[in-house]
Amino acid sequence: MASLGQLVAGVAHEINTPLASISANNEIMHTLIQKSEQNDILKDMLDIDTEAIKRITDLVKSLKRFVRLDEGEIQQADINSELDLTLQLLHHRIKK
């Protein structure tokens, strides 16, 4: 389990690095498009990208919470919270 946790943490970190760059570029594009107010297609694309960035960010946060590498001690858990976390990770498979 520890090896799996380290693997997931590494993958999460590798996803976060380029995601931060994409997110920053997305914010700059948003500012530029708002100033021009000429192209609705670009605005729609930007909205789609913003939603995709949010979904990826939420997924990475969920993975980090799931592996909890920084918590090496036994502690009490809230079963409802843990089920919600699991459902977030599986949301793409159980949407319908």
Side-chain angles (χ1 to χ4, degrees), residues 1-95:
M1 280 305 268
S3 295
L4 177 61
Q6 289 177 343
L7 175 67
V8 170
V11 169
H13 175 73
E14 291 300 321
I15 292 171
N16 270 340
T17 302
L19 185 61
S21 173
I22 294 168
S23 182
N25 291 340
N26 202 35
E27 289 178 26
I28 292 168
M29 289 296 295
H30 184 66
T31 302
L32 293 173
I33 290 171
Q34 278 187 330
K35 289 180 180 178
S36 72
E37 296 187 20
Q38 292 179 0
N39 197 336
D40 289 336
I41 294 172
L42 288 177
K43 289 179 185 178
D44 291 343
M45 288 172 58
L46 188 63
D47 289 342
I48 291 168
D49 287 348
T50 300
E51 181 62 28
I53 290 168
K54 182 186 177 309
R55 289 178 60 196
I56 295 168
T57 301
D58 290 345
L59 175 62
V60 170
K61 285 179 186 177
S62 295
L63 286 171
K64 284 183 174 181
R65 284 195 318 251
F66 187 75
V67 295
R68 299 172 201 236
L69 287 179
D70 57 342
E71 299 176 10
E73 301 174 2
I74 295 177
Q75 57 186 354
Q76 289 185 350
D78 177 8
I79 190 70
N80 292 322
S81 175
E82 300 303 320
L83 287 173
D84 287 342
L85 174 58
T86 303
L87 290 173
Q88 280 180 339
L89 289 172
L90 295 175
H91 177 72
H92 69 284
R93 291 187 174 240
I94 57 174
K95 282 189 236 184

